[in-house]
Each structure stands twice: as C-alpha cells, then as structure tokens.
Amino acid sequence: MFYKIGETGTDSVFTRSFSVLLLPLILTANRTSSFLTTTEIKTIQEKLVQFLNDEKDYRGYVAGKGWAHAVAHAADAIEEISQQVLSTDDMIALLVSIRNVVCTKATVFTNMEEERLTSAVVTLVEHQELEGAVFEEWLTGFLQWDRTKELQEEYKIIFNVKNFFAALYFRLEGCSSPIFAEAVRRVRQELMKPYV
C-alpha cells in the first residue's frame, strides 16, 4: 500500500492502488465471518487515512497501462469499512482525508472519482450514527483552503468540490436523512458566492 508512496507519474502507483483494492474484499468477508478484531479494523482505518493523506498520484486512466485510480480504490475501501463498527473520531478522520483529496490543486478529477468518494460518504452516513452537526462542520471545512490570486489554481479546487458536492447532494437527497443533503446545498451556495 505504501510502496514508494509520494511518487507521481511512475508505475509504483499501480502496486499501491491495487494493494488498497484488496481491503474491500477482506472487509466484506469480515461482515459475514467476523474474523477481524476491533484493533485490526482500527488499524485498517488508520492506514486508509494515512494512504489518502500521503498518496500524491491522482491519475485515473493511464494510456497504454490501464487504471491507476488510487483515489477511487481507496474510496471503495472506505465505503466498505464504513459498514464496520467505527468511533466518531474514526469517522471524522476518514471524512477529513476525503476532504483533503477533493481539495487538491494538483489535478482536476475527471474519472468519476467524485462518485466513488460520494459512495463512501453516503455509506458512512447511512451505516453510522453520524450527527448532523459533525457532518456540517466537515462540509464547512471545504470552504477553507490556502487561497491565492492564481485563479487557474483556485478553479481546480472549486471544480473538484463543486462536482463532489453535486454528486453528494443528489445521493443524500434520496437517502433516509435529507438534512444531510440540505447541509450540502447550503455549503455549496457559500462556496459559489464569490464566483457567481
């Protein structure tokens, strides 16, 4: 998972990305057989947070080589671990790591990463007892980044956040807690105020 992590544009991302892809399989099996201890689940959660915080290669499809998709594969793992027993602190750490990835100036996500990240968040909301206030505080964090006057850099973050919020809103609107969708709508309006 952490093989040469931090590298960008090299083939090492495939080793990392496809190692992460094993985690959803293990966690799915655990929901049936309960062979992982609470400590082991906690360790997986911590390693996922570390992975998302340290991974810098955000490429989706790599011509001639296939899918790198480290962010999407990590999102799949988060979606699955969200169906295990997690503490509030563990949930917040996962959410913050997702926010950090979405709020990048390194790339504009164009390979449906926002949909995979949205699936992780919606699953977390639906399977954990996440308080609305905690969720809204997490959303508000999307409005806070080191702003510059370089609009072409700022627009990368705005584009990523706007797409992620749109996906999140429409998915949450259809779930059992529409207050979460309403929170997304309010924060998205704040995001766009300076630009419309």
Side-chain angles (χ1 to χ4, degrees), residues 83-158:
Q83 297 177 67
Q84 314 289 323
V85 177
L86 299 174
S87 71
T88 299
D89 287 345
D90 292 342
M91 289 187 284
I92 292 170
L94 289 167
L95 288 169
V96 169
S97 67
I98 289 171
R99 185 176 66 209
N100 290 343
V101 167
V102 173
C103 290
T104 183
K105 295 181 185 180
T107 193
V108 170
F109 290 114
T110 59
N111 288 278
M112 304 295 280
E113 291 88 352
E114 76 282 356
E115 293 292 343
R116 304 277 274 276
L117 291 166
T118 292
S119 292
V121 173
V122 170
T123 300
L124 194 149
V125 165
E126 290 184 332
H127 285 83
Q128 306 290 330
E129 293 182 6
L130 187 66
E131 294 179 8
V134 171
F135 184 75
E136 188 149 3
E137 183 178 346
W138 169 69
L139 286 174
T140 303
F142 281 91
L143 304 178
Q144 301 155 4
W145 70 82
D146 294 329
R147 295 174 191 263
T148 70
K149 294 186 178 180
E150 300 294 327
L151 285 180
Q152 71 274 19
E153 296 300 314
E154 300 300 294
Y155 284 165
K156 289 179 185 177
I157 291 179
I158 294 162

Side-chain angles (χ1 to χ4, degrees), residues 178-189:
I179 60 164
F180 290 99
E182 178 57 24
V184 173
R185 188 192 64 76
R186 283 196 307 272
V187 177
R188 186 188 182 281
Q189 282 183 327

Side-chain angles (χ1 to χ4, degrees), residues 1-2 13-31 35-36 40 44-45 47-48 51 68-81 84 116:
M1 250 176 89
F2 297 97
V13 68
F14 294 100
T15 299
R16 294 191 300 276
S17 180
F18 283 87
S19 295
V20 172
L21 201 53
L22 293 174
L23 294 177
L25 301 175
I26 294 166
L27 290 163
T28 299
N30 184 63
R31 281 197 285 129
F35 56 87
L36 293 174
E40 288 169 330
I44 293 170
Q45 177 268 332
K47 294 300 182 186
L48 275 171
F51 177 82
H69 243 190
V71 169
H73 292 176
D76 295 346
I78 292 173
E79 180 179 9
E80 192 54 48
I81 203 168
Q84 314 289 323
R116 304 277 274 276

Side-chain angles (χ1 to χ4, degrees), residues 40-57:
E40 288 169 330
I41 292 171
K42 170 73 172 172
T43 299
I44 293 170
Q45 177 268 332
E46 289 173 343
K47 294 300 182 186
L48 275 171
V49 168
Q50 182 185 348
F51 177 82
L52 271 180
N53 289 339
D54 293 348
E55 181 59 67
K56 303 302 176 199
D57 196 327

